[in-house]
Amino acid sequence: MPYSEKPEYCRKYRLVFPCPPCCGFVSATGPTGPQGPAGDTGVTGPTGPQGPAGDTGVTGPTGPQGPAGDTGVTGPTGPQGPAGDTGATGPTGPQGPAGDTGATGPTGPQGPAGDTGATGPTGPQGPAGNTGATGPTGLQGPVGNTGATGPTGAQGPGGVVPPSSFASYFNYAMIFADGAQIPLSVITEDPTGQIALANGTQITLKPGYYLVSYHVSVYLRSAGFMQVTPSYNGAPHLELGIYSRTSEASTVGGSNTIVISVPSDTNFTLTYNSNAMSVEGAATVSVVKLQA
């Protein structure tokens, strides 16, 4: 009987089944006993070699698209590739609307002058225009040659020389008081009356120009200064005075000569100032009226 038809007992697997000839554990088939408990799972054997690939099955339908994944980090820009060939020029499109007028550019350099055209006929004279403003006076031209001297005219009548006005005054061996006008006496009286001594200290002057020369000296009992200030036209003139000082008992003095203008009657005086006691003083004044 073939092995596949004869039930036999396999001593290796403890089963009753047709045992293949390769088993080697065939025994006489006895009565089937009760099934024993399942044994422990044996150790998994090594994986056998992969069999040949089977035929490719029919492609199934495309599944629905899954959700978009998160955007990955942008990688660094790669090097620029070489420029491609210039494509063919496309057809010219329609002209667009005119743009806004740009700012006026700077004036370019003046071009060369063109050839002079032929002179046209003279037109009719237009009406006279308004007179323009007077221009500035031009520079003075060179002096012309001196003309010939004309004949000398007849001598006119002799002029009348006006009388001269002059006077002089003095003071001698008198004590001068601080802040007081210096008293004077007449040496030479003015014959014309233009210059006159009024009250012993004031010299009256009529309008005109005068040359006034004066000198004052004084002996001071101790160290100090002397200041003499002329006054006329209603005001003192410290800038035209004289000043002198000493560090011990001594004589001090000074002189001055001035030209003054007298627009109206005025009194000329000399005022004395000092911080020391005077023993005695002297003064002279000369006045000459100038011919204008």
Side-chain angles (χ1 to χ4, degrees):
M1 170 181 285
Y3 77 90
S4 60
E5 295 179 1
K6 182 180 179 180
E8 294 180 331
Y9 179 74
C10 180
R11 288 179 296 175
K12 180 178 181 181
Y13 297 104
R14 299 180 182 181
L15 296 175
V16 178
F17 61 91
C19 183
C22 61
C23 178
F25 296 93
V26 178
S27 64
T29 303
T32 304
Q35 184 174 349
D40 296 333
T41 303
V43 179
T44 302
T47 303
Q50 184 173 349
D55 296 333
T56 302
V58 179
T59 303
T62 303
Q65 183 175 352
D70 296 334
T71 303
V73 179
T74 303
T77 303
Q80 182 173 351
D85 297 333
T86 304
T89 303
T92 302
Q95 183 173 353
D100 296 334
T101 302
T104 303
T107 303
Q110 182 174 352
D115 297 333
T116 304
T119 304
T122 302
Q125 183 173 352
N130 297 327
T131 302
T134 303
T137 304
L139 301 175
Q140 182 174 351
V143 178
N145 297 327
T146 304
T149 304
T152 302
Q155 182 173 352
V160 177
V161 178
S164 298
S165 298
F166 50 87
S168 61
Y169 308 93
F170 81 104
N171 186 312
Y172 180 74
M174 181 173 288
I175 297 176
F176 295 158
D178 179 45
Q181 296 176 353
I182 297 176
L184 298 170
S185 298
V186 176
I187 298 177
T188 302
E189 187 174 1
D190 178 22
T192 65
Q194 299 290 304
I195 307 167
L197 185 63
N199 57 4
T201 59
Q202 300 176 353
I203 301 174
T204 301
L205 303 176
K206 295 296 184 181
Y209 292 92
Y210 292 86
L211 175 68
V212 180
S213 178
Y214 63 94
H215 171 82
V216 177
S217 62
V218 63
Y219 181 84
L220 299 181
R221 189 183 296 275
S222 60
F225 71 88
M226 176 203 73
Q227 172 76 49
V228 177
T229 305
S231 298
Y232 59 91
N233 292 337
H237 292 270
L238 186 65
E239 72 281 8
L240 302 178
I242 55 178
Y243 177 85
S244 182
R245 66 179 299 119
T246 179
S247 59
E248 59 184 6
S250 176
T251 299
V252 293
S255 302
N256 207 348
T257 300
I258 58 177
V259 174
I260 64 175
S261 172
V262 178
S264 60
D265 288 1
T266 190
N267 291 324
F268 180 91
T269 61
L270 295 176
T271 301
Y272 173 85
N273 291 99
S274 178
N275 62 347
M277 181 178 295
S278 66
V279 178
E280 60 180 3
T284 57
V285 181
S286 297
V287 183
V288 177
K289 187 174 184 180
L290 305 176
Q291 300 298 328

